[in-house]
Amino acid sequence: MAYTQNVDACLGIAGSGALEPVLDEVRAALTQLALAHEQGTLPLLHVPARRDDLGLLSDIADWMLPGATDIVILGTGGSSLGAQALAQLAGYCLPVTIPPQGRPRLHFLDNLDPWTQADVLYRLPLDSTRWLVVSKSGGTAETMAQMLTVLARLEEAGFGGAARRVMVALTETRDSPLSRLAAAHGLPHVPHDPGVGGRYAVLTSVGALPAILMGLDPVAMREGAAGVLQPILDGADVLDVAPAVGAGVLALLERERGVRSHVLMGYGDRLQRFALWHRQLWAESLGKNGKGAGLEAATGPVDQHSQLQLWLDGPAERSFTLLVPEMKGQGPVFPAGEAPDPDLAWLSGNTVGDLVAAEAQATADSLNAAGRPVRTMRIETLNERALGALFMHFMLETIIAAHLLGVDPYDQPAVEDGKRRARAALDRSAGETAAS
Ligand SMILES: O=P(O)(O)OC[C@H]1O[C@H](O)[C@H](O)[C@@H](O)[C@@H]1O
């Protein structure tokens, strides 16, 4: 297993006997998932075994990479966060990012900001920058706004007609603004799997193409995911299905212990975007009909210095999942022998990884001592296989949590209202400008 999960401390607080009735409900969710796999009604469950799409993705990467100094990925939410999590594994999106040897710089434009957009358009070398536009619907306002400004800038800079040599569209094969623009400009098209929702799409081309561009192995990612799914397909006992146990325990804490928010805290820099990816997955899948607990993304050890006081001493309404990669012995060593300062003698001979590992353990112990429920997930080696396994773990855990909550994990009806209002506001101001 690419990771281990320990929920003993949560059960110590919630009472292990209380889990059994929840597990009965979880079993029903597992039966539904196994059936959905058998009947092919949930394409997400078939992605781990897919290989047929990878040839096209490699061809596209081979086409994009030669001569590229910069790759910009346009897309938001489910069209970006999974790839960002993968990027941190490859050494990108970190506090100090030095692109791996021979690889281009990588930029994710998942937020829309007028100044960032201007910087991107006017400060990146247009002749050696490649653009990957990702949108399942092909109509998301922010992504389309970014794409339009890139196309206009290429035109302005005299690269008119060049979009087809520097830009790729990843979207569903159906009529949409993005697919129409792609056709008009002759852009290569990578299909977005129509049966897989955006926030569940990281294992598909949405994560796999960026992974290949970054030099990661998408097969290992899918193999890791398959390993988490397999016990469900095999009809294993619920206690041997890690996401099932996870969902059951979180639901138990919500029901019996008044937990209203779950903190996902990854240790080290490389799980920060992963936690953001999961935050969207959880929030959009479960926040419905007045139901759904929150999901807070945190990074250790840095957030110990900003959040731990509240977590330990504030309202007892949170659960904690610590994601801890094995890092003992990793990184630079503090010199052994006599310490340069007596107050720092305790560090001598240890590595940076030893310190971070000790801090993770100490935080778990402090939270436990304060009666706060902690689940610890340990990752043996943080690589594509482990990340694929964790992606699948949290997608399944979320789907099972939705079953326990009685909500549909695959839609996000409330989000549409804000989009409609933003569009109406701009339409109105266009009307007013025209009238004045
Ligand atoms: O991939 P897209 O269709 O552009 O959607 C990007 C994002 O936009 C929306 O607002 C949805 O709420 C998200 O679930 C989605 O991931």
Side-chain angles (χ1 to χ4, degrees), residues 350-424:
N350 288 302
T351 66
V352 172
D354 293 338
L355 176 57
V356 177
E359 291 191 305
Q361 187 59 52
T363 300
D365 293 346
S366 292
L367 288 164
N368 276 331
R372 307 310 203 231
V374 180
R375 157 173 70 162
T376 305
M377 297 174 78
R378 296 194 179 280
I379 304 157
E380 201 182 317
T381 307
L382 190 55
N383 54 17
E384 294 95 318
R385 191 173 299 272
L387 214 52
L390 291 169
F391 282 133
M392 189 48 108
H393 176 105
F394 285 101
M395 288 193 282
L396 291 170
E397 186 170 292
T398 303
I399 294 168
I400 298 166
H403 177 95
L404 299 179
L405 214 53
V407 298
D408 179 350
Y410 308 114
D411 64 358
Q412 61 284 337
V415 179
E416 299 309 316
D417 181 61
K419 294 182 189 170
R420 200 179 40 74
R421 287 173 192 266
R423 195 181 172 132

Side-chain angles (χ1 to χ4, degrees), residues 76-79 134-138 140 199 280 284 412 415 419:
T76 194
S79 286
V134 186
S135 173
K136 179 177 174 63
S137 62
T140 298
R199 58 184 177 274
Q280 178 196 358
E284 287 199 327
Q412 61 284 337
V415 179
K419 294 182 189 170

Side-chain angles (χ1 to χ4, degrees), residues 83-218:
Q84 291 183 41
L86 286 159
Q88 291 198 305
L89 189 62
Y92 294 100
C93 300
L94 296 169
V96 176
T97 290
I98 298 161
Q101 191 70 33
R103 295 262 158 202
R105 291 181 291 262
L106 191 61
H107 316 275
F108 287 91
L109 290 191
D110 64 345
N111 195 19
L112 186 62
D113 173 283
W115 301 287
T116 304
Q117 195 65 17
D119 276 352
V120 165
L121 297 182
Y122 288 93
R123 300 184 66 185
L124 289 183
L126 282 184
D127 52 350
S128 58
T129 297
R130 311 285 182 257
W131 311 85
L132 173 61
V133 188
V134 186
S135 173
K136 179 177 174 63
S137 62
T140 298
E142 294 85 349
T143 309
M144 289 302 97
Q146 289 164 340
M147 182 185 187
L148 287 177
T149 63
V150 175
L151 290 171
R153 173 70 184 125
L154 288 172
E155 194 70 43
E156 176 194 70
F159 292 97
R164 74 168 66 89
R165 292 197 296 278
V166 295
M167 191 180 272
V168 171
L170 196 166
T171 189
E172 280 188 358
T173 309
R174 65 176 166 91
D175 190 42
S176 72
L178 176 50
S179 54
R180 289 194 293 271
L181 276 174
H185 289 270
L187 309 186
H189 171 236
V190 177
H192 191 301
D193 191 326
V196 181
R199 58 184 177 274
Y200 293 94
V202 60
L203 300 172
T204 70
S205 55
V206 171
L209 175 55
I212 296 169
L213 289 168
M214 298 167 207
L216 296 176
D217 178 4

